[in-house]
Amino acid sequence: MQILENVSLKRCNTFAVEARARYLAVLESAADAGALTDWLAGRDLPWLVLGEGSNVLFRRDFPGVIIHPAFTGVERLGEQAGAVHFRAAAGERWHDLVMATIAQGAAGLENLSLIPGTVGAAPVQNIGAYGVELQSCFHELTALDLREGELRRFDREAAAFGYRDSHFKRHPDRYLILDVTLALPLEPVWRLDYGGLRDALANAPETQLSAARISDAVCRIRRSKLPDPARLGNAGSFFKNPVVSRAQAEALRSRFPELPLFPAGEGAVKLSAAWMIERCGWKGYRRGAAGVSPQHALVLVNHGGASGEAIWRLARDIQASVADTFGVELSPEPRIVG
Ligand code: FAD
Ligand code: EPU
């Protein structure tokens, strides 16, 4: 384990906002978790686990220790109950894991291609895209309970996944996820009904589909829709799509007939936050270096030099105007720190 002191986090978050951490603990192997708990025990410091920082907004400096799992690796464990199991280490890049499974002939993760971030963070908000969520192929994970100092295993039930939600998201900073095991079905089921995916595959017949081909299509759509954080700081969707009752959705639809609605389980409907934000006139808006992407209304951006606080103030104004116009509360998706 390496401990660095008074570290800039600007390169450790995809918003590229400046914030400093008192300490940065870089874990080079899962075994470093033991050394970390010893190191923490002697100090009265707050801590925060950080992967690639693609779903956080630092509003100010962090007075404690940022814990960064840097260990990588993907292992094919074998087959069980109609699925092939892969275990990946927390610091592995999520997209590299997707590519590794596809290269080994497995399917199930193709719709989740190109989501930034690490494997260890993926269960925290149950990452999802193009009609698939992590929970559909999640088997189990190992985490260090940082409060009790013990290793724990979580199966799908214990992980308690929801839309952009999990047991880990509801207990921030309690767990350090060390590895994640996925169960990918031996008989693949293609999911093509979301967001123009079928069109991007030119309505290819079933016999011509493969995980690699679907993954390519998902990458193409994502590149065309979302700004690349390497060029323009952002954390993907800044707000979750609000889930409301069918009755509330119908009332809104009668006032706004074009509002996109998506089914969200028994009696519930997901509203498009992007559409509501665009309708309020925010798309492409800029206030100093903080702004809303002209490409996608749900993505707040840092044009260069914006502070986390400036981005947060803009987010609050957007929340207030959507609440005024639609009577709907938007909740931030990224972790707001500070
Ligand atoms: P971080 O941002 O570092 O951390 C996120 C949260 O997880 C924090 O609360 C942190 O404390 C916690 N955490 C991180 N690692 C661990 C660990 N090992 N153990 C315990 N807690 C941990 N998300 C989607 O779901 N779908 C998308 O389509 C999508 N598209 C995106 C597109 C762009 C351009 C960007 C920038 C982001 C997008 N995101 C998307 C959000 C982001 O990619 C995911 O939330 C990702 O899982 C974050 O990974 P990370 O390693 O960067 O986590
Ligand atoms: N739309 C607008 N204006 C825009 C963009 C979109 O009105 O500027 C409307 C369109 O009508 C479109 C609808 O919003 O049909 C949905 O847009 P999109 O397909 O881009 O999806 P999203 O709801 O904005 C969600 C996830 C994304 C994920 C995509 C694809 C959330 C909060 N976001 O976005 O995840 O990649 O679907 O599945 O659920 C993330 O979590 O960071 C993220 C990028």
Side-chain angles (χ1 to χ4, degrees):
M1 175 175 71
Q2 274 191 68
I3 304 273
L4 309 172
E5 229 176 312
N6 186 21
V7 178
S8 165
L9 297 174
K10 192 166 178 180
R11 289 170 179 276
C12 308
N13 72 95
T14 59
F15 260 125
V17 297
E18 182 56 283
R20 299 192 82 79
R22 179 153 171 212
Y23 296 105
L24 173 67
V26 181
L27 309 188
E28 281 142 356
S29 72
D32 274 350
L36 173 74
T37 39
D38 291 346
W39 189 87
L40 287 173
R43 294 169 173 86
D44 186 18
L45 286 172
W47 61 72
L48 172 79
V49 183
L50 192 67
E52 265 178 31
S54 63
N55 214 24
V56 290
L57 177 65
F58 287 101
R59 287 176 63 195
R60 52 183 68 99
D61 292 345
F62 187 70
V65 53
I66 298 284
I67 301 166
H68 175 64
F71 44 96
T72 57
V74 178
E75 195 185 349
R76 188 183 190 281
L77 299 178
E79 293 173 16
Q80 199 182 307
V84 52
H85 287 204
F86 287 89
R87 181 163 55 214
E92 185 72 30
R93 285 182 62 226
W94 172 261
H95 182 67
D96 291 348
L97 167 63
V98 175
M99 292 295 106
T101 60
I102 292 175
Q104 294 198 44
L109 301 184
E110 53 282 356
N111 294 47
L112 302 177
S113 296
L114 216 61
I115 297 181
T118 56
V119 164
V124 175
Q125 74 157 7
N126 179 28
I127 55 169
Y130 296 92
V132 173
E133 290 181 324
L134 175 79
Q135 63 177 329
S136 66
C137 46
F138 177 88
H139 181 63
E140 63 175 17
L141 65 74
T142 317
L144 174 66
D145 181 336
L146 290 160
R147 194 173 79 189
E148 305 298 332
E150 61 191 32
L151 286 179
R152 289 183 54 182
R153 280 193 169 200
F154 289 84
D155 61 13
R156 197 190 305 193
E157 200 185 337
F161 292 118
Y163 164 61
R164 298 295 189 269
D165 196 24
S166 71
H167 175 80
F168 314 102
K169 188 144 181 187
R170 288 193 290 277
H171 295 85
D173 303 328
R174 171 133 183 217
Y175 301 101
L176 165 61
I177 295 169
L178 297 170
D179 62 57
V180 178
T181 303
L182 301 169
L184 306 185
L186 294 170
E187 293 292 331
V189 183
W190 311 125
R191 303 206 193 275
L192 309 176
D193 291 328
Y194 184 90
L197 188 48
R198 203 176 284 278
D199 293 346
L201 286 156
N203 294 309
E206 182 83 6
T207 49
Q208 285 176 22
L209 292 175
S210 66
R213 201 163 163 194
I214 295 168
S215 168
D216 278 352
V218 168
C219 291
R220 277 199 310 277
I221 302 176
R222 291 184 65 96
R223 287 194 180 104
S224 72
K225 276 195 175 182
L226 294 168
D228 175 0
R231 290 159 193 237
L232 185 61
N234 75 86
S237 302
F238 194 87
F239 298 103
K240 293 190 266 193
N241 286 322
V243 177
V244 300
S245 67
R246 181 155 294 283
Q248 194 182 349
E250 277 162 14
L252 279 165
R253 248 289 170 75
S254 64
R255 287 172 56 212
F256 305 99
E258 280 144 35
L259 171 64
L261 306 178
F262 304 93
E266 190 87 352
V269 175
K270 212 185 259 180
L271 310 177
S272 165
W275 190 90
M276 292 190 285
I277 294 169
E278 180 168 352
R279 173 80 188 218
C280 290
W282 292 102
K283 192 169 179 176
Y285 173 86
R286 188 167 172 170
R287 183 189 289 162
V292 178
S293 164
Q295 228 177 319
H296 200 300
L298 199 45
V299 180
L300 267 58
V301 295
N302 177 4
H303 288 283
S307 66
E309 190 55 26
I311 293 169
W312 178 241
R313 277 199 300 269
L314 175 58
R316 301 284 295 173
D317 290 348
I318 293 171
Q319 270 176 324
S321 89
V322 168
D324 268 5
T325 309
F326 298 94
V328 171
E329 283 305 316
L330 293 182
S331 312
E333 182 193 283
R335 170 88 184 269
I336 311 297
V337 185

